Amino acid sequence: METIDPELRQQLISLFGADNCLFEIEDLVAYSYDSARDEHRPAAVVFAQNAPQIAALMQLANRKRFAVVPRGAGSGLSGGSVPLAGGVVLVTTAMRRILEVSTDDLYAVVEPGVITADLINTVARHKLLYPPDPSSMKTSTLAGNIAENAGGLRGLKYGVTKDYVMALEVVTPTGEIIKTGAKTVKSVSGYDLTKLFVGSEGTLGVITQATLRLIPAPAFRRSLIAVFDDIALAGRTVADVIKSGVIPATMEIMDHITLQAVENFKHIGLPQDADAVLLLETDGIEAAAVQEAATIERICRGNRTIDVKIAASESERDQVWEARRSALAALARIKPTVILEDATVPRSKIPDMIAAVQDIAQRHRLVIGTFGHAGDGNLHPTIITDERNTAEMQRVEAAVAEIFDAALRLGGTLSGEHGIGLAKKMFLHKEFGLEGVETMRRIKKALDPNNVLNPGKLFD
Amino acid sequence: METIDPELRQQLISLFGADNCLFEIEDLVAYSYDSARDEHRPAAVVFAQNAPQIAALMQLANRKRFAVVPRGAGSGLSGGSVPLAGGVVLVTTAMRRILEVSTDDLYAVVEPGVITADLINTVARHKLLYPPDPSSMKTSTLAGNIAENAGGLRGLKYGVTKDYVMALEVVTPTGEIIKTGAKTVKSVSGYDLTKLFVGSEGTLGVITQATLRLIPAPAFRRSLIAVFDDIALAGRTVADVIKSGVIPATMEIMDHITLQAVENFKHIGLPQDADAVLLLETDGIEAAAVQEAATIERICRGNRTIDVKIAASESERDQVWEARRSALAALARIKPTVILEDATVPRSKIPDMIAAVQDIAQRHRLVIGTFGHAGDGNLHPTIITDERNTAEMQRVEAAVAEIFDAALRLGGTLSGEHGIGLAKKMFLHKEFGLEGVETMRRIKKALDPNNVLNPGKLFD
């Protein structure tokens, strides 16, 4: 469906309005890839204004059998919004109202296209927190976060997007508008469709409204940076902190390669000769956050940290976290192509996973910078390469497969927070077996019998 | 299938062993109801030892088309384990090993029949907490808790069973053994089948193993009891506490009727003339728990509490919570039949819901005691009646329907923690519409095409 048939073109225009449809090739190219970079050109791009429009589109898609691919900001890292089979890209960024913030019942009701950071900033004015904070939060949309079950830096203590979705309005693949979940903190009424749609990568329904749980904003926070001359000691520190009974809000790691890249990019005085740093934050009531930070400091010293420092001011704190958030961008400056993985292991296996990645890098003669959410066991081994170098790209492909195998061997999972999408679908059976994948496929077929909604993702 | 055919009888014996099969009528009667009391007699009861046995049973059930109804301790409150269509009751209480407690990665791996309190006590020895604590926890099984997504007293701060299930091993209705989820705190790999099975009330699969998340046990806790001469002031206090930014571990309410019943039963000196009491607990680092308790005390005084008292000792604390846990038993002593509901509303609507229940009680001339998890908006209006009084039972039925309508009108849900089962299935479409129920039905049909696993629950 590279060129659109004139009848469908007219139907889309009458459904969405001419101003909200794109058919020109230069526009279509812009919507042919996301942050995972696979390119497949759609036949049309439409910008939805409301759920009934989307329901009508899905009914049309079932009648005429074309693919519909929902898309937010396109910041996904697994190809979830790439229009693999052509068809219509359905963009939800125009539906971007925050409909309600309940300070009594601690939830917000949002349209799908609200930018993550806009919600975080809006609720902060009420002293509330929406915890999920993917690194892309300044551009990513909430429905995109929900579809991919986005994580972020606060996952260790506060969980991920899934833990904050209370209720959804969804357009099903066959074009019904349904409501799932409840605006109550407890609900066990029927199957948990809410959680089924979260992380389903736009293959089971189009999210048109979400009720998101909020929590009281922590009154106080304390950030620490701990420097190690051996990354294995940093890994052991992660395990020791958890064992001590302290669950920090955040516990991040950056290895030597990432540290150097970030410092060259941001010049904030990170130690360039260190093998690794841990970045940690405690929060809550002041007395608790201070006591927990002191416990962490003691554990770092017990594990022969070179230096452990508490951020002295809010601006010093912001600098630390800005550095961490820039890790991917910093690594991307080194070579033209970055391949970012998010294999995840039980947190006690972090040292083993780091060793496995180092071994894979060495054997395949690749540069792999590793950073990520150490407290969650969610590492981002990032291969720095050049896609024009075909010989190296073959080694990259082998290395990626070995990274997944290592994660699964250590009791982990293919993806902590980026999703399966296109990038990892050939590996899914390794995690769940053919029977597990078949169970997922049956659910997809039950809800989308004509396979029109985001076909070809997760599994074939 | 009231009497069993001899061939099936022999097949069950060869699959499970004669010692693990019951066919005598006096045994079958014992497995014909659960704590929700509907009675339907099965043709056989079997006690499973392992997952492959269960897989073989499901394959047999599909070939011969008989119903299989999974059952733990039978403590469910919505009829989830009642063998509505006869067939085979599959009891998992013999699979009761705690297979692993990981103090590094904070999870436990359990068989389905482990008693909830046994896990709680086992992990407590490692200074860890498994938070879900349904009132039935001394008898209920973990797989039963998972199938019904059980709640408990700690739901407000710590969430419910769903929030602690990381991974499952499940036998599908068609007899495959699959694994879902991961032993990592983050995972977005394929559809979230784990959360789909949680709360599916034994209709989508038989849980044969579960990996449950643990948290560090709070180092300190402080319990309070606050007495009010107007239940509306207690309701307002609940909302004010949350608004202040304090999320207590527990915030429970008991009304006048419940208070009297509990005091007559337990004699611990509860104020009998009060209109309501709130029972609260804060926990965590000592400084934080003490500060939060002081905030709560101040809010209670601002809302004209008659008396607010902090439990002075561990034994005084235990007495308070023992009193709360005995509420249902205490009410059950008054008349032969209790009908326990668990309609749930956004917590700011607690005063409205209490008023609605009082109005319903008055109009239908019924005695309804109300207690429950006020912080969650999860009330348990409990109708005290006598099922032999048919005229009164008709009024009870009308009152129950009105309670559900009131909860839904206030933006709530049919069930906070007991499930839909048999008891509420005729109301499900009121919450989710016919399209929502149809979506659930499609999933059921996709996974259980012959409708052999716990048929007739949730929807027809």
Side-chain angles (χ1 to χ4, degrees):
Chain A
M1 195 167 146
E2 287 266 300
T3 53
I4 191 165
D5 84 68
E7 191 193 49
L8 176 57
R9 184 189 168 105
Q10 206 43 55
Q11 284 168 321
L12 293 177
I13 288 173
S14 63
L15 197 51
F16 294 95
D19 289 353
N20 296 311
C21 296
L22 303 175
F23 303 104
E24 299 302 319
I25 189 153
E26 56 272 31
D27 293 321
L28 301 180
V29 167
Y31 288 86
S32 69
Y33 58 88
D34 66 8
S35 297
R37 299 296 280 274
D38 272 277
E39 280 194 43
H40 296 271
R41 201 177 304 158
V45 177
V46 298
F47 295 83
Q49 313 294 316
N50 55 54
Q53 274 181 345
I54 296 172
L57 176 65
M58 292 317 305
Q59 287 161 17
L60 189 62
N62 277 280
R63 281 200 304 278
K64 303 192 89 155
R65 302 292 161 90
F66 58 86
V68 174
V69 181
R71 179 184 173 106
S75 55
L77 289 162
S78 57
S81 63
V82 173
L84 186 61
V88 175
V89 168
L90 166 66
V91 186
T92 59
T93 51
M95 297 170 69
R96 54 166 182 254
R97 288 176 301 168
I98 296 173
L99 300 170
E100 185 188 353
V101 175
S102 169
T103 54
D104 285 340
D105 292 317
L106 305 190
Y107 65 74
V109 182
V110 299
E111 290 189 330
V114 172
I115 303 291
T116 314
D118 287 349
L119 178 66
I120 291 174
N121 294 333
T122 298
V123 305
R125 290 199 284 274
H126 302 282
K127 293 194 181 167
L128 295 173
L129 177 66
Y130 175 69
D133 61 343
S135 288
S136 56
M137 67 185 189
K138 286 181 187 167
T139 54
S140 67
T141 66
L142 287 167
N145 292 172
I146 293 167
E148 297 292 339
N149 188 19
L153 272 61
R154 286 190 279 246
L156 174 56
K157 180 169 176 179
Y158 293 109
V160 295
T161 300
K162 176 192 312 192
D163 301 303
Y164 293 88
V165 185
M166 302 170 80
L168 292 172
E169 181 189 83
V170 173
V171 176
T172 66
T174 43
E176 297 91 28
I177 301 175
I178 64 169
K179 285 177 190 296
T180 74
K183 287 179 182 175
T184 56
V185 288
K186 278 179 176 173
S187 175
V188 51
S189 185
Y191 298 149
D192 190 346
L193 298 182
T194 308
K195 296 290 195 281
L196 182 64
F197 287 118
V198 177
S200 68
E201 308 197 25
T203 65
L204 295 181
V206 182
I207 295 158
T208 51
Q209 200 181 99
T211 303
L212 302 172
R213 188 164 70 93
L214 307 172
I215 61 173
F220 185 86
R221 50 195 182 182
R222 179 153 277 191
S223 294
L224 301 93
I225 178 165
V227 184
F228 296 88
D229 61 7
D230 178 353
I231 196 167
L233 290 171
R236 191 199 296 170
T237 301
V238 170
D240 288 350
V241 167
I242 301 294
K243 268 201 162 176
S244 78
V246 172
I247 305 283
T250 299
M251 183 151 53
E252 299 285 309
I253 197 167
M254 293 198 286
D255 75 352
H256 179 65
I257 292 169
T258 311
L259 264 177
Q260 282 194 316
V262 168
E263 184 56 25
N264 287 336
F265 184 31
K266 291 284 175 179
H267 310 291
I268 63 163
L270 290 171
Q272 294 222 55
D273 48 350
D275 198 38
V277 298
L278 289 180
L279 307 172
L280 303 103
E281 188 162 278
T282 63
D283 67 8
I285 286 183
E286 179 167 352
V290 167
Q291 183 179 324
E292 289 184 339
T295 302
I296 290 168
E297 202 178 331
R298 199 179 58 239
I299 291 167
C300 290
R301 294 201 193 284
N303 282 326
R304 292 190 278 123
T305 178
I306 304 174
D307 189 24
V308 53
K309 209 172 81 171
I310 291 175
S313 65
E314 196 69 3
S315 79
E316 216 175 286
R317 174 193 175 276
D318 290 346
Q319 225 176 23
V320 167
W321 296 113
E322 180 58 28
R324 164 60 189 85
R325 285 188 191 280
S326 73
L328 180 58
L331 288 166
R333 292 170 73 236
I334 299 176
K335 279 196 177 185
T337 308
V338 286
I339 311 281
L340 173 72
E341 292 308 337
D342 83 325
T344 300
V345 293
R347 70 171 74 81
S348 70
K349 297 296 191 294
I350 284 272
D352 299 315
M353 189 64 193
I354 289 170
V357 170
Q358 286 175 336
D359 173 60
I360 291 165
Q362 202 163 34
R363 278 191 292 103
H364 293 286
R365 289 171 288 124
L366 293 169
V367 180
I368 308 185
T370 295
F371 62 96
H373 319 299
D376 304 334
N378 181 197
L379 292 179
H380 294 310
T382 303
I383 307 176
I384 305 159
T385 180
D386 185 339
E387 61 188 347
R388 294 163 300 190
N389 181 341
T390 42
E392 184 162 296
M393 286 309 282
Q394 280 174 0
R395 301 202 308 274
V396 168
E397 212 167 289
V400 166
E402 288 181 25
I403 288 172
F404 292 141
D405 284 338
L408 294 179
R409 198 175 56 240
L410 292 167
T413 178
L414 291 171
S415 174
E417 57 182 8
H418 294 167
I420 299 299
L422 287 176
K424 293 171 220 170
K425 70 177 182 174
M426 68 284 262
F427 300 103
L428 195 60
H429 70 277
K430 288 194 181 187
E431 185 165 354
F432 297 110
L434 293 171
E435 296 84 2
V437 175
E438 178 56 28
T439 302
M440 295 180 196
R441 206 191 301 264
R442 284 190 206 170
I443 292 171
K444 168 69 173 170
K445 196 163 168 56
L447 269 55
D448 186 8
N450 297 321
N451 198 27
V452 293
L453 188 63
N454 207 2
K457 305 296 169 65
L458 290 166
F459 36 71
D460 282 315
Chain B
M1 194 167 149
E2 287 266 301
T3 52
I4 190 164
D5 84 68
E7 190 192 50
L8 176 56
R9 184 190 168 105
Q10 204 43 57
Q11 284 167 322
L12 293 176
I13 288 174
S14 63
L15 198 49
F16 294 95
D19 288 351
N20 296 310
C21 297
L22 303 176
F23 303 104
E24 299 302 318
I25 190 156
E26 56 271 32
D27 292 323
L28 301 180
V29 167
Y31 288 86
S32 69
Y33 58 89
D34 66 7
S35 298
R37 298 296 281 274
D38 273 278
E39 281 193 43
H40 295 271
R41 201 177 305 158
V45 177
V46 298
F47 295 82
Q49 313 294 317
N50 55 55
Q53 273 181 344
I54 297 172
L57 176 66
M58 293 317 304
Q59 287 162 16
L60 189 62
N62 277 280
R63 281 200 304 276
K64 302 192 91 156
R65 301 292 161 90
F66 59 86
V68 174
V69 181
R71 179 184 172 107
S75 55
L77 289 162
S78 57
S81 63
V82 173
L84 186 61
V88 175
V89 169
L90 167 66
V91 186
T92 58
T93 50
M95 296 170 70
R96 54 167 182 255
R97 287 176 301 168
I98 297 174
L99 300 170
E100 184 188 354
V101 175
S102 168
T103 54
D104 284 339
D105 292 317
L106 303 191
Y107 64 74
V109 181
V110 299
E111 290 189 327
V114 172
I115 303 291
T116 314
D118 287 350
L119 178 66
I120 291 175
N121 295 333
T122 298
V123 305
R125 290 198 285 274
H126 301 283
K127 293 194 180 167
L128 296 173
L129 177 66
Y130 174 69
D133 60 343
S135 288
S136 56
M137 68 185 187
K138 286 180 187 168
T139 54
S140 67
T141 65
L142 288 166
N145 292 173
I146 293 168
E148 297 292 337
N149 189 18
L153 272 61
R154 286 190 280 246
L156 174 56
K157 180 168 176 179
Y158 292 109
V160 294
T161 301
K162 178 192 310 192
D163 301 303
Y164 293 88
V165 185
M166 301 171 80
L168 292 173
E169 181 190 82
V170 173
V171 176
T172 66
T174 42
E176 296 91 27
I177 301 174
I178 64 170
K179 286 177 190 298
T180 73
K183 287 180 182 173
T184 56
V185 289
K186 279 180 175 174
S187 175
V188 51
S189 184
Y191 298 150
D192 190 347
L193 297 182
T194 308
K195 295 291 195 281
L196 182 64
F197 286 118
V198 177
S200 68
E201 308 197 26
T203 66
L204 295 181
V206 182
I207 295 158
T208 50
Q209 200 181 98
T211 302
L212 302 172
R213 188 164 71 91
L214 307 173
I215 61 172
F220 185 86
R221 50 195 182 182
R222 178 155 278 192
S223 294
L224 300 94
I225 177 164
V227 183
F228 296 87
D229 62 7
D230 180 353
I231 196 166
L233 291 172
R236 191 200 296 171
T237 302
V238 170
D240 288 350
V241 167
I242 301 294
K243 267 200 162 176
S244 78
V246 172
I247 305 284
T250 299
M251 183 152 54
E252 299 285 310
I253 196 166
M254 293 198 286
D255 74 352
H256 179 64
I257 293 169
T258 310
L259 264 177
Q260 282 194 316
V262 168
E263 183 57 24
N264 287 336
F265 184 30
K266 291 283 176 179
H267 310 290
I268 63 163
L270 290 171
Q272 294 222 55
D273 49 349
D275 198 39
V277 298
L278 290 180
L279 307 172
L280 303 103
E281 188 162 279
T282 64
D283 68 7
I285 285 181
E286 179 167 353
V290 168
Q291 184 179 324
E292 290 184 339
T295 302
I296 291 168
E297 202 178 333
R298 200 178 60 240
I299 292 167
C300 289
R301 295 201 191 284
N303 282 327
R304 293 190 276 125
T305 178
I306 303 174
D307 189 23
V308 53
K309 209 172 82 172
I310 290 176
S313 65
E314 197 69 3
S315 78
E316 217 175 284
R317 173 193 177 275
D318 290 347
Q319 226 176 23
V320 167
W321 295 113
E322 179 58 29
R324 164 59 189 87
R325 284 188 192 279
S326 74
L328 180 58
L331 288 166
R333 292 169 73 237
I334 299 175
K335 279 195 177 186
T337 308
V338 287
I339 311 280
L340 173 73
E341 292 308 338
D342 84 324
T344 301
V345 294
R347 70 171 74 81
S348 70
K349 298 294 191 294
I350 283 273
D352 300 314
M353 189 64 194
I354 288 170
V357 170
Q358 286 174 337
D359 174 60
I360 291 166
Q362 203 163 34
R363 278 190 293 103
H364 294 286
R365 290 171 287 124
L366 293 169
V367 180
I368 308 186
T370 295
F371 62 96
H373 318 299
D376 304 334
N378 180 197
L379 292 179
H380 294 310
T382 303
I383 307 176
I384 305 159
T385 181
D386 184 340
E387 63 188 345
R388 293 162 301 189
N389 181 340
T390 43
E392 183 162 297
M393 285 309 282
Q394 279 175 1
R395 301 203 307 276
V396 167
E397 213 168 288
V400 166
E402 288 182 26
I403 288 172
F404 292 141
D405 284 340
L408 294 178
R409 198 175 55 242
L410 292 167
T413 178
L414 292 172
S415 174
E417 56 181 9
H418 295 168
I420 298 299
L422 287 176
K424 294 171 219 170
K425 69 176 183 174
M426 67 285 262
F427 300 103
L428 195 61
H429 70 278
K430 289 193 180 187
E431 184 164 355
F432 297 109
L434 293 172
E435 296 83 2
V437 175
E438 178 55 28
T439 302
M440 294 179 198
R441 208 190 300 265
R442 283 190 208 171
I443 291 170
K444 168 70 173 170
K445 197 162 165 58
L447 268 55
D448 186 9
N450 296 321
N451 198 28
V452 292
L453 188 63
N454 208 1
K457 304 298 169 64
L458 291 166
F459 37 72
D460 283 316

